[in-house]
Amino acid sequence: MSTVQTKKSVSFEDTSVAFAHQSDSKLRKTYLIFAMMNQNWLVKIGTFFIKIAIRLGLPIKFLIKNTLFEQFCGGESIETCQKAIDNLAKAHVGTILDYSVEGEDNEKDFDKTTQELLLTINKSASQQANIPFSVFKVSGIGSVELLEKVQEHPEDLTPEDNAVFDRVKARVARLCEEASRLNVRLFFDAEESWIQDVIDQLCYDMMAKHNVKGKTIVYNTYQLYRWESYENLIASCDKARKGGYTVGAKLVRGAYIEKERRRAFEMNYRDPIHNNKQETDEDFDKAVVYAIDNLDVLSICMGTHNENSCHLCMKLMAEKGIANDDKRVWFAQLLGMSDNISYNLANAGYNVAKYVPYGPVEAVMPYLFRRAEENSSIAGQSSREFLLVKREIERRKAKNC
Ligand SMILES: Cc1cc2nc3c(=O)[nH]c(=O)nc-3n(C[C@H](O)[C@H](O)[C@H](O)COP(=O)(O)OP(=O)(O)OC[C@H]3O[C@@H](n4cnc5c(N)ncnc54)[C@H](O)[C@@H]3O)c2cc1C
């Protein structure tokens, strides 16, 4: 539960707005997909067999492409995402093209990914109203092993390591320069704590360079499940004020909780994550309050599916007389999830965008498995998405009776 009382100015229960973009047949398909994902055992067995089938080279691409991929991804390439971009735009929801190929680990791949990211930035520049942000992960353009060494054992870096790290810095600089040149806002996604200090430093250097003259181009991501993040947000704003630039901040809770806890336990250091969900929620709320109070130096994107957090942000904006469509405040969700939030916010005139993951079906499988797990039932409780889709089908049936 959110810690601050919120005024429910927009209803996230309105499924007629949330699913207006889906025909009856598309909605039935969405229902079937969520109904399957709602079965915990099916997700576990399904994931297991899909992994084996891929390894054996069995032809299951068609099946995945027409179910999970269609639900959570925009297409296999930038071009094939155009339909998703147009569909979202019809409801005034923006697209954030997210090149979701994972597990690259050599210099050639990192250069290739950089080229692909430059294309997403250019695509955004060519359709700024519909594609308001670009995004990337530093681990997509540099080796995690190296980033970890830079952060945790800088004294062990060899001249070769330094040369490789210089190339990572050059790729980051290239992306930010292109974004700045084309006036496209660019998110640095947040990652695991053992490489995040390096990502932060790269990002802050770019903010100081590009977030000047009234433009906020570079956005860092603050994971409020980390007990240090709230103070980091304040410190980065203080520094920016002194340095005469602005801060872009994507506020999220954080996605790597199990990994973080496991590593902290195994390596015997203090867990970087809050003790419980409530502490995370409290810090997220505090960050939203701080952000809305400091929009002179901050632009934010609320990267969340938490309805209370969105209500809190809306309430604070109303109290401060900040227009719903103020360009410094955005909301973002993932494609195929929390349409009740995205479409109802957009319907009320707020700035909203969806991450639209894309890439070859085989390459985005890890992303799809994570979404399937996230939407499976927890302790016998159906997922929110499943219940909302079901309710909309029932509403349409009742209307047609
Ligand atoms: C547009 C967008 C962009 C995103 N970008 C990033 C990113 O760059 N980096 C990143 O790491 N994640 C990112 N995420 C994922 C995000 O961090 C969350 O994992 C996800 O959105 C769920 O959190 P929530 O606020 O939506 O909702 P909620 O369901 O309210 O919160 C779930 C979250 O609460 C936290 N939590 C749960 N249990 C506990 C516990 N016991 N103790 C402490 N904390 C707990 C975890 O962070 C968990 O993910 C992004 C999400 C969106 C929608």
Side-chain angles (χ1 to χ4, degrees), residues 136-144 147-148 150-151 165 168-169 172 176 187-207 218-223 226 256:
F136 79 107
K137 282 190 172 52
V138 174
S139 65
I141 56 171
S143 129
V144 171
L147 297 172
E148 188 175 348
V150 172
Q151 177 165 321
F165 187 48
V168 180
K169 287 197 257 187
V172 169
C176 293
F187 291 145
F188 280 58
D189 267 352
E191 307 193 50
E192 291 86 352
S193 59
W194 49 96
I195 59 170
Q196 190 58 42
D197 292 356
V198 185
I199 298 171
D200 286 344
Q201 198 47 57
L202 290 167
C203 186
Y204 292 136
D205 288 348
M206 293 296 110
M207 271 189 200
V218 176
Y219 282 64
N220 202 7
T221 300
Y222 296 81
Q223 298 161 311
R226 290 188 59 181
Y256 308 104

Side-chain angles (χ1 to χ4, degrees), residues 134-398:
S134 282
V135 64
F136 79 107
K137 282 190 172 52
V138 174
S139 65
I141 56 171
S143 129
V144 171
E145 208 178 297
L146 174 69
L147 297 172
E148 188 175 348
K149 195 168 174 187
V150 172
Q151 177 165 321
E152 310 230 310
H153 303 287
E155 68 286 356
D156 292 345
L157 289 171
T158 62
E160 167 63 10
D161 289 334
N162 282 319
V164 178
F165 187 48
D166 281 346
R167 287 204 288 276
V168 180
K169 287 197 257 187
R171 291 183 193 111
V172 169
R174 174 90 181 88
L175 293 174
C176 293
E177 265 151 31
E178 188 71 343
S180 183
R181 185 179 75 80
L182 296 169
N183 219 359
V184 168
R185 288 164 289 197
L186 180 63
F187 291 145
F188 280 58
D189 267 352
E191 307 193 50
E192 291 86 352
S193 59
W194 49 96
I195 59 170
Q196 190 58 42
D197 292 356
V198 185
I199 298 171
D200 286 344
Q201 198 47 57
L202 290 167
C203 186
Y204 292 136
D205 288 348
M206 293 296 110
M207 271 189 200
K209 190 164 180 201
H210 297 291
N211 292 3
V212 289
K213 297 187 192 139
K215 287 196 303 185
T216 302
I217 295 291
V218 176
Y219 282 64
N220 202 7
T221 300
Y222 296 81
Q223 298 161 311
L224 278 310
Y225 70 178
R226 290 188 59 181
W227 43 264
E228 288 171 313
S229 290
Y230 176 64
E231 293 302 329
N232 286 347
L233 175 67
I234 296 174
S236 48
C237 288
D238 289 346
K239 198 166 168 215
R241 263 202 191 91
K242 285 188 197 122
Y245 61 96
T246 55
V247 174
K250 170 154 62 83
L251 304 181
V252 302
R253 281 182 168 74
Y256 308 104
I257 188 163
E258 283 89 14
K259 258 189 193 183
E260 291 282 359
R261 291 221 198 283
R262 196 169 49 240
R263 187 174 188 269
F265 175 76
E266 283 168 6
M267 295 175 71
N268 197 23
Y269 59 86
R270 182 177 170 192
D271 186 347
I273 312 298
H274 279 303
N275 291 318
N276 52 54
K277 172 82 161 62
Q278 191 182 339
E279 286 178 11
T280 297
D281 288 347
E282 283 169 3
D283 264 15
F284 195 95
D285 284 354
K286 273 162 55 187
V288 178
V289 172
Y290 178 83
I292 298 297
D293 275 343
N294 288 275
L295 289 178
D296 59 312
V297 74
L298 253 181
S299 290
I300 59 161
C301 175
M302 300 271 296
T304 181
H305 294 162
N306 183 301
E307 296 174 11
N308 285 329
S309 298
C310 296
H311 278 303
L312 172 63
C313 187
M314 287 187 282
K315 174 179 172 275
L316 295 171
M317 288 171 75
E319 282 173 4
K320 294 253 167 195
I322 296 162
N324 292 6
D325 66 348
D326 188 296
K327 67 177 182 3
R328 295 165 299 178
V329 183
W330 279 80
F331 295 82
Q333 289 76 42
L334 308 181
L335 186 74
M337 286 181 71
S338 294
D339 283 353
N340 64 317
I341 297 182
S342 312
Y343 285 85
N344 279 299
L345 282 173
N347 191 45
Y350 291 92
N351 297 315
V352 187
K354 292 271 208 192
Y355 265 37
V356 173
Y358 76 93
V361 176
E362 303 78 7
V364 300
M365 287 309 295
Y367 178 85
L368 295 177
F369 290 145
R370 284 204 297 280
R371 295 290 80 80
E373 266 165 38
E374 207 170 299
N375 284 290
S376 62
S377 67
I378 301 158
Q381 221 186 346
S382 292
S383 80
R384 175 98 170 118
E385 306 291 338
F386 173 65
L387 294 174
L388 287 166
V389 177
K390 195 168 161 211
R391 197 190 311 154
E392 174 60 6
I393 289 180
E394 282 158 9
R395 190 196 68 81
R396 288 188 192 181
K397 258 192 212 151

